Amino acid sequence: MPSKAIVTKVSNNAEMKTGRGSPWATALRILTRRDHSQAELRKRLSDKGFDAEQIETTLQRCLDLGYLDDARYALNRAASLMNQGRAVGHRVLADLRQRGVSDELAEQALAAAREGYDEETLLADLLARRFPGFNFNTAPASDKRRVVKFFQRRGFPIDRILDHLMRKGSATDNENR
């Protein structure tokens, strides 16, 4: 027979009956892995089966304690995407919007992230890393399309891509003479 103290503790704790824990503990577990936007955390808690009132209370507590901050999240996410060469410009905005960040915060985060990263330098670094030795002037048309589309998917404007590739190709041709 279980001890009286254990039975009393479990029966007094409605959260233990459900087997999912408290929304606060769940939110903390989620936030220890990585930063999230309010919308992401709200969805994660909702997916775990917590009701709207519990979720809003938990979110407010996270906001009050500084564990949740959409502006900080947006800036860190934008800087990370740009630093890794995974997205620039409109692609950063699209990623942030998809993650529930408001348009205004997304624009501010992108502007702040652009201050720390030059898109031309990012383009050059990414080209050297992903396509070492690529020469736009001598490459077959299929390779040109592949490289250009790679940069377009990351949000670089086509004019900047072509300008950089042609300048690099000309510089490479001059070095080989």
Side-chain angles (χ1 to χ4, degrees), residues 109-154:
L110 178 59
R114 277 186 171 150
E115 290 175 9
Y117 301 98
D118 175 37
E119 287 184 11
E120 189 69 27
T121 304
L122 286 171
L123 182 66
D125 291 345
L126 196 54
L127 179 65
R129 222 175 36 225
R130 289 293 302 236
F131 305 102
F134 178 77
N135 185 335
F136 189 77
N137 295 336
T138 60
S142 60
D143 287 349
K144 290 178 183 179
R145 279 192 306 274
R146 183 174 53 90
V147 171
V148 168
K149 287 182 180 188
F150 171 83
F151 287 111
Q152 282 184 305
R153 283 190 304 272
R154 277 153 180 72

Side-chain angles (χ1 to χ4, degrees), residues 133-135 137 167-177:
F134 178 77
N135 185 335
N137 295 336
R167 274 189 288 117
K168 184 181 181 308
S170 296
T172 305
D173 287 344
N174 291 336
E175 289 174 7
N176 292 336
R177 289 183 187 170

Side-chain angles (χ1 to χ4, degrees), residues 10 12 15 21 23 28 54 64 66 73 104 116 122 135 145 151 155 162 164 168-169 171:
V10 171
N12 286 339
E15 293 160 353
L28 290 179
Q54 289 176 311
D64 292 344
Y73 170 76
E104 182 182 339
L122 286 171
N135 185 335
R145 279 192 306 274
F151 287 111
L162 293 175
H164 181 78
K168 184 181 181 308

Side-chain angles (χ1 to χ4, degrees), residues 23-24 27 31 38 41-42 45 52-69:
W24 173 245
L31 290 173
Q38 288 181 50
L41 186 57
R42 181 178 286 112
L45 292 173
E53 185 179 328
Q54 289 176 311
I55 293 171
E56 292 309 314
T57 302
T58 301
L59 289 176
Q60 189 57 52
R61 188 173 177 191
C62 288
L63 287 167
D64 292 344
L65 293 171
Y67 297 163
L68 199 56
D69 182 356

Side-chain angles (χ1 to χ4, degrees), residues 7 18-19 32 36 38 44 48 53 86 118 158 165 170:
V7 172
T18 62
T32 57
H36 287 72
Q38 288 181 50
R44 297 276 309 267
K48 300 246 184 229
E53 185 179 328
R86 291 176 43 213
D118 175 37
I158 187 71
L165 291 175
S170 296

Side-chain angles (χ1 to χ4, degrees), residues 7-49:
V7 172
T8 304
K9 186 174 182 178
V10 171
S11 65
N12 286 339
N13 191 346
E15 293 160 353
M16 293 294 286
K17 288 180 186 176
T18 62
R20 64 176 183 230
S22 74
W24 173 245
T26 303
L28 290 179
R29 264 193 313 279
I30 291 169
L31 290 173
T32 57
R33 292 185 188 101
R34 70 170 177 85
D35 212 2
H36 287 72
S37 69
Q38 288 181 50
E40 284 180 315
L41 186 57
R42 181 178 286 112
K43 182 176 180 341
R44 297 276 309 267
L45 292 173
S46 178
D47 290 348
K48 300 246 184 229

